[in-house]
Amino acid sequence: MHRRLMRACLTPLRLRDYRLLWSGAMLSQLGDGATWTALTWLALAHGDAAALGVLGICYTAPVIAGGFLVGPLLDRFDRRAVLVADCVLRGVAVASIPAAAAFGPVRLWQLYLVAAVYGLLKIVPLGAVPAMLPDLVPQRALAAASALESVSLGVGRILGPAVGGLLIPLVGGASVLLLDAASYLAFGLAVLAVRVPRGGPGPAHTVRSAPPGGWRPVVALLRGDGVLLAITVGFGLFNLAMGMLMVLEPWFAHDRFPGGAHTLGLILALSGGANLAGSLAAGAVPPSDRQMLRIGVLQAVAGASLLLLLVGDLPVVLIGLVLCNVLSTPMTVSSQVLRLSRIPAGLRGRTLTLMRTVMNATTPLGAAVAGPLLAAGAHQALIVLMTLAAALPGLWLVRAYRTTSFGAELGLVVPTPPATPVRSARDAHHV
């Protein structure tokens, strides 16, 4: 049984084009994990907790502007070209820090600028990669493909911070950023090798037959679909808590627990390991017509586990972070299946980009709150606020959707296995 579930989760990797996209994305996430560790350590070395809060805002806030710029591009142009342009721009930006360090000390404003460029373009792979999935894999493999996307994030969060934490004492934080620049190059080359899709909305949906351009049809879709709207709001509040957490984790390692950069690498790597485990489990679990109920329960329990961070003991803190990550990843995969099942192909790029933009827009707000609270010595109040923001939306989803059958009442068509075997990506059904 365990082997069958694992094979089901890994089925999309048999398809060449999906395998290229996934491998390149995973390498890029690996570099990003090392970069965030290095950037936070450099900010603490040249500033304080307040500087860390500013860095977190720069790292996440520009995603709002980036989302509105990128969304229409993903439905109009070849998504591969947009991804390659993103790799080039962010690779050059990250490489500018070690280049500047070769001629003098790194300044805080330089770290903020690189973080802002990253944040501005962060939405490109977050919107483009899932938008390409229905064009690369059969419909019945969407859940596994979505789970593998989360696996790539988890692998990056495991190995990236660990490598960064190990290398910072040896070569310095600026040199670690070269890893991320190399990962962007690898991702761009992998995307160039993907043969499909050739157009923005996919071969089966030409630009001419797609819904009108702009954001109006996307807004109308979200307003008329209670499931998509609930996912957007609930995850937005959960990411508010994650914005607080991304500032709290390096503060724990720097000011609360011994070990310095090694402890930070351990914290982020264990969180990534839990994320990976949750992704693998989610990919092997079939979709349910009570998908929203599942999402609500997972979010409520994942958020409540953050209360363990109130205990001033590193092992207990790590347990809380592991529980939060291992439960929150399946909720993300479940929501991805819902989104891909409900969004028309011609609106896929814009809608996924807008949803993920709104969800990620709350992360800098969390970072903005966390910095001043930590500087004021109110880390316990920050943990309580973070827990409420993460858990309460899950309880609301449970209450609102506990008796709703989405297959019958809300129009969700749960993918079912076709009668024929899995075909190659070139022959796969396009939705």
Side-chain angles (χ1 to χ4, degrees):
M1 177 65 71
H2 174 73
R3 291 182 179 179
R4 286 201 301 269
L5 292 177
M6 184 60 65
R7 283 197 298 268
C9 183
L10 299 180
T11 294
L13 293 179
R14 300 175 185 173
L15 308 176
R16 173 193 177 273
D17 290 324
Y18 177 82
R19 185 169 62 250
L20 283 169
L21 180 67
W22 180 82
S23 300
M26 185 175 66
L27 285 174
S28 180
Q29 292 295 333
L30 176 65
D32 287 349
T35 285
W36 176 244
T37 306
L39 286 177
T40 56
W41 203 253
L42 287 170
L44 287 171
H46 297 281
D48 53 16
L52 191 63
V54 174
L55 182 71
I57 295 172
C58 293
Y59 200 71
T60 54
V63 72
I64 302 172
F68 286 104
L69 292 173
V70 169
L73 300 179
L74 294 178
D75 282 335
R76 183 173 182 180
F77 300 106
D78 188 333
R79 289 164 185 149
R80 298 173 306 160
V82 179
L83 275 174
V84 170
D86 166 63
C87 291
V88 171
L89 291 173
R90 284 203 284 177
V92 170
V94 170
S96 69
I97 294 297
F103 296 97
V106 176
R107 308 294 183 185
L108 279 175
W109 68 266
Q110 294 173 316
L111 301 177
Y112 298 156
L113 180 60
V114 170
V117 172
Y118 175 90
L120 181 66
L121 299 176
K122 174 184 178 181
I123 199 65
V124 175
L126 289 179
V129 170
M132 292 171 67
L133 295 187
D135 297 319
L136 298 177
V137 302
Q139 188 182 32
R140 72 182 181 92
L142 281 179
S146 298
L148 284 171
E149 184 197 3
S150 294
V151 167
S152 69
L153 296 174
V155 169
R157 291 183 63 189
I158 294 170
L159 298 181
V163 170
L166 290 173
L167 290 182
I168 286 173
L170 299 177
V171 300
S175 297
V176 172
L177 298 180
L178 287 175
L179 288 172
D180 200 14
S183 74
Y184 281 121
L185 174 62
F187 190 17
L189 293 175
V191 172
L192 285 175
V194 173
R195 292 192 291 259
V196 292
R198 292 295 181 184
H205 301 273
T206 64
V207 175
R208 181 177 300 176
S209 65
W215 292 105
R216 183 173 296 178
V218 177
V219 173
L221 173 65
L222 293 179
R223 289 179 61 184
D225 193 315
V227 172
L228 296 178
L229 187 60
I231 290 173
T232 305
V233 174
F235 281 31
L237 291 173
F238 190 86
N239 285 338
L240 177 70
M242 296 303 99
M244 302 176 193
L245 185 61
M246 70 183 293
V247 176
L248 183 63
E249 286 174 330
W251 179 85
F252 269 139
H254 191 269
D255 291 356
R256 192 74 175 177
F257 301 118
H262 296 292
T263 299
L264 177 59
L266 174 65
I267 289 174
L268 297 181
L270 282 178
S271 296
N275 188 284
L276 174 60
S279 298
L280 291 173
V285 176
S288 166
D289 67 346
R290 298 293 179 90
Q291 201 88 324
M292 285 291 282
L293 180 61
R294 177 189 295 175
I295 293 170
V297 171
L298 289 170
Q299 181 167 351
V301 180
S305 65
L306 293 174
L307 281 176
L308 293 176
L309 274 61
L310 288 171
V311 179
D313 186 63
L314 181 58
V316 177
V317 168
L318 293 176
I319 290 173
L321 293 174
V322 166
L323 287 174
C324 179
N325 280 278
V326 79
L327 295 172
S328 62
T329 309
M331 106 187 169
T332 302
V333 173
S334 294
S335 75
Q336 185 85 301
V337 174
L338 279 171
R339 282 175 275 180
L340 293 176
S341 300
R342 303 180 76 87
I343 300 172
L347 290 175
R348 196 184 301 143
R350 280 169 286 174
T351 304
L352 289 173
T353 299
L354 180 61
M355 292 182 70
R356 286 193 160 181
T357 297
V358 173
M359 294 174 192
N360 283 277
T362 57
T363 304
L365 296 179
V369 170
L373 286 177
L374 289 178
H379 76 279
Q380 292 182 331
L382 173 62
I383 293 172
V384 172
L385 182 62
M386 179 174 62
T387 302
L388 292 175
L392 289 182
L395 294 176
W396 175 77
L397 290 176
V398 170
R399 180 179 180 183
Y401 294 105
R402 67 184 184 276
T403 60
T404 303
S405 174
F406 290 88
E409 298 181 26
L410 294 181
L412 173 62
V413 179
V414 179
T416 55
T420 57
V422 177
R423 296 165 290 171
S424 67
R426 192 180 292 108
D427 298 329
H429 176 65
H430 299 285
V431 298

